[in-house]
Amino acid sequence: MSSDLEQKIAADITCSICLEIFTRPLALVPCLHSYCKHCLELYVKNFADNNGCFPCPECRIQITLPSEGIEGLTHNHTLQSILDNWFSHNKEKAVEIVQQVPEAKVNINDVDLSSYTVVDMDEKSQLEKNEHSLIQQQHFNTDTNKTSQSSNEPTQLPNLPNLHVYKASLPPLPCIPSAPFPQYNLYPNIRDYDGNDLNSQTYIPQKDFCTEGLLLKFGQYSRHVNEFQKPYGITINRAGHICVSDLKGGRILIFSPTGTFLNKLLPSCDIYDIAILPNQNILTSVAKADKAILHSYNMNSHLISQYTGLHYQYARPSGVAVNKHGYAIVTSLENNCVYVFTEEGKLSQKFGWKGSGNDHFDRPYFVTTNDKLQIIVSDCGNNCIKVFSSDGKFKCMYGKKGKDKGMLFKPMGVCTDRNNNIIVADYGNYRVQAFSPKGRSLGFPVYDTFCIGKDVSPVNVAINRHDNIVVLLTGEKFAEVRVYEWNPEV
């Protein structure tokens, strides 16, 4: 079959919600648009009114759910037949894929190939372990004394035209979340290596602690409009202005290089991490912004552009970075993946899914890039930093769980300096750690931040125009930006 024909057919059998090959396609009446059963379950739970009415995701026509619920919707047998034929064309690849899935424990001689489902994958990539694998995300209330956890399901964008198949019934589909935008704490819960909750410990503040190399500090925890409540992202523009996003305050605060408050932007949606575009506008990852995953704003809070797509409203974006060619890179905590967008806002790459392997992520909170256009991701749940080429191919990994030099525990913000050294907010170890481009630990520019106050830890980092490290510190009723001199080891 020709490559062009494969692409055309694959486009017809791709769900427009999850952007994966259909699984159990159901048709809506009267418009007859079809979607995966599990995608509709999630969509209906979040958008149906009390009478079971909801708009079609594509044409927006009003649909009334049958009395039987999702089970009462019509199975699209014609589309299923196309899927079956499409699978038959790739039947010879089934054995290869089943052997790649260790969880399946299938005797290959007993495999019934008729029960497989087609999945698009890049030719060189590994098999995705589960078509919608379960995300273990940390999920907290805004009350600092309460924490909880939730699980949501990721999506995988097809990479056409190469196809593989795997046993759809192994493992089972995950639970569907009850809401697309759960209330959660921005920062991961810190536990020690025996699983004890460090957030419950009490630390005695030391006024002059972590002052070695300290050049500047500013900002504080407050409900004042020009102070911090839940700061998250930090970036620096060409003029040296330090920009900090504050989710709970719903604003982006801009400070001079010396820490003087200059301005604030007030987006009309939830904001997360921020980065600077080549035109010096601010790019921010967003939620509750209709179908957008990214917004760009000028310094007058005017929305300039947005990166949109129906499936992005479930992505729970977090970290964002911009490379020297103006490409935007954003991580998704919901899908455990990385999206790359062109300057025009078109999706260029998507890579990663839930897991612990080289091409997998477990809560990729933040991302940065370097002069080589490499994509550097802080893989919080896997306690490491992963480096990828600009087209999403895995290059190397730094760190593993621990507290010794070269080890990481729940890494968060990440940035690079002019020499492509990697600076990491080693959140769970209460320190900032630096790595050379080859992965050698360069030491700890900041350490033992818990002595500043209860639970005070670096959540994000940036490099200013003088190549000093700018650290965003947060803790219980504590928030502050500090600038430290940076002289890496030779």
Side-chain angles (χ1 to χ4, degrees):
M1 186 181 296
S2 70
S3 177
D4 288 344
L5 182 56
E6 283 186 339
Q7 292 189 28
K8 290 178 181 178
I9 295 177
D12 290 337
I13 59 176
T14 298
C15 172
S16 62
I17 292 181
C18 66
L19 292 187
E20 294 186 24
I21 297 297
F22 281 109
T23 55
R24 308 173 207 171
L26 299 179
L28 302 181
V29 178
C31 66
L32 300 182
H33 287 124
S34 296
Y35 306 93
C36 301
K37 179 182 177 182
H38 51 75
C39 289
L40 279 177
E41 287 175 333
L42 176 59
Y43 185 85
V44 167
K45 281 191 176 184
N46 292 307
F47 294 102
D49 60 23
N50 294 334
N51 297 320
C53 296
F54 61 94
C56 169
E58 288 188 46
C59 66
R60 316 307 293 174
I61 191 172
Q62 200 70 5
I63 307 296
T64 301
L65 202 63
S67 58
E68 302 89 345
I70 292 293
E71 299 297 334
L73 294 175
T74 303
H75 183 76
N76 192 329
H77 295 285
T78 302
L79 184 54
Q80 186 64 58
S81 178
I82 296 173
L83 288 169
D84 293 341
N85 291 332
W86 183 250
F87 162 74
S88 298
H89 176 68
N90 297 272
K91 194 172 184 179
E92 295 179 356
K93 297 183 180 180
V95 172
E96 170 193 348
I97 298 305
V98 171
Q99 289 175 333
Q100 294 183 37
V101 185
E103 295 92 337
K105 299 180 181 179
V106 176
N107 185 339
I108 200 63
N109 297 320
D110 297 333
V111 173
D112 178 10
L113 297 179
S114 64
S115 61
Y116 281 77
T117 302
V118 178
V119 174
D120 281 283
M121 299 293 287
D122 183 80
E123 184 177 15
K124 294 182 180 180
S125 66
Q126 298 180 7
L127 172 71
E128 183 177 358
K129 291 184 178 180
N130 186 358
E131 63 183 13
H132 288 285
S133 57
L134 198 60
I135 294 178
Q136 299 298 327
Q137 66 180 26
Q138 294 193 322
H139 168 111
F140 303 90
N141 295 325
T142 54
D143 184 346
T144 57
N145 295 322
K146 297 181 180 180
T147 61
S148 62
Q149 292 185 335
S150 67
S151 298
N152 293 303
E153 77 180 304
T155 61
Q156 176 68 25
L157 181 68
N159 291 310
L160 304 175
N162 302 298
L163 296 173
H164 296 289
V165 292
Y166 70 91
K167 192 76 173 178
S169 60
L170 294 169
L173 289 173
C175 300
I176 302 296
S178 59
F181 306 111
Q183 296 297 318
Y184 59 91
N185 198 329
L186 291 175
Y187 320 120
N189 195 26
I190 302 178
R191 294 177 179 273
D192 65 19
Y193 308 107
D194 297 320
N196 299 315
D197 189 355
L198 294 183
N199 288 340
S200 64
Q201 298 185 18
T202 300
Y203 299 96
I204 301 175
Q206 300 184 26
K207 183 177 180 180
D208 296 323
F209 205 82
C210 296
T211 58
E212 182 180 353
L214 179 63
L215 301 175
L216 172 71
K217 62 180 180 179
F218 62 90
Q220 63 180 355
Y221 175 85
S222 169
R223 295 192 177 186
H224 188 273
V225 294
N226 297 337
E227 300 291 355
F228 305 130
Q229 293 186 55
K230 280 196 172 181
Y232 193 61
I234 188 167
T235 190
I236 300 170
N237 67 14
R238 190 179 300 151
H241 296 153
I242 300 170
C243 309
V244 180
S245 63
D246 191 306
L247 177 59
K248 191 169 183 180
R251 59 207 174 203
I252 299 171
L253 304 178
I254 302 172
F255 301 86
S256 74
T258 58
T260 302
F261 173 77
L262 298 176
N263 190 19
K264 62 177 177 291
L265 309 185
L266 300 171
S268 59
C269 56
D270 285 355
I271 56 172
Y272 297 90
D273 196 19
I274 51 178
I276 301 296
L277 290 164
N279 61 10
Q280 297 304 291
N281 286 332
I282 294 180
L283 183 69
T284 178
S285 48
V286 297
K288 297 184 182 179
D290 194 13
K291 296 179 288 186
I293 189 172
L294 294 170
H295 279 177
S296 69
Y297 294 89
N298 64 16
M299 290 301 174
N300 295 318
S301 295
H302 294 153
L303 177 62
I304 304 301
S305 63
Q306 52 186 334
Y307 302 61
T308 61
L310 180 63
H311 46 289
Y312 296 143
Q313 60 188 313
Y314 305 115
R316 193 183 162 199
S318 182
V320 62
V322 178
N323 69 19
K324 62 184 180 181
H325 293 326
Y327 278 45
I329 306 158
V330 59
T331 64
S332 167
L333 298 181
E334 183 83 355
N335 300 336
N336 283 285
C337 70
V338 174
Y339 296 101
V340 181
F341 295 89
T342 66
E343 281 187 288
E344 294 75 28
K346 304 296 183 182
L347 182 62
S348 171
Q349 297 283 339
K350 177 188 174 186
F351 60 91
W353 59 92
K354 172 73 173 182
S356 58
N358 291 342
D359 296 311
H360 302 73
F361 299 112
D362 182 4
R363 287 164 291 151
Y365 270 95
F366 290 97
V367 63
T368 191
T369 184
N370 60 20
D371 289 341
K372 298 179 181 179
L373 299 179
Q374 292 176 329
I375 298 171
I376 302 160
V377 183
S378 63
D379 192 352
C380 182
N382 288 319
N383 302 291
C384 64
I385 299 297
K386 292 179 179 176
V387 181
F388 299 83
S389 63
S390 59
D391 58 354
K393 299 297 186 294
F394 175 80
K395 302 291 290 184
C396 56
M397 176 174 61
Y398 306 151
K400 62 180 180 179
K401 184 176 180 179
K403 59 184 178 181
D404 295 333
K405 188 175 182 179
M407 295 182 173
L408 298 166
F409 189 40
K410 299 189 183 299
M412 292 287 281
V414 61
C415 67
T416 57
D417 66 11
R418 65 183 61 174
N419 297 316
N420 289 326
N421 295 315
I422 300 172
I423 317 299
V424 184
D426 194 356
Y427 183 82
N429 283 322
Y430 302 95
R431 67 193 183 192
V432 174
Q433 185 167 188
F435 293 87
S436 73
K438 294 185 178 180
R440 179 173 65 90
S441 176
L442 300 178
F444 314 109
V446 187
Y447 55 91
D448 291 348
T449 58
F450 58 82
C451 291
I452 298 173
K454 184 177 180 181
D455 301 332
V456 173
S457 192
V459 69
N460 214 334
V461 288
I463 290 287
N464 68 13
R465 57 184 177 175
H466 303 297
D467 226 27
N468 295 319
I469 298 177
V470 184
V471 184
L472 178 59
L473 294 164
T474 65
E476 183 175 309
K477 295 185 178 181
F478 181 93
E480 190 173 78
V481 174
R482 293 191 176 194
V483 181
Y484 287 88
E485 186 177 8
W486 169 229
N487 293 310
E489 300 174 1
V490 178

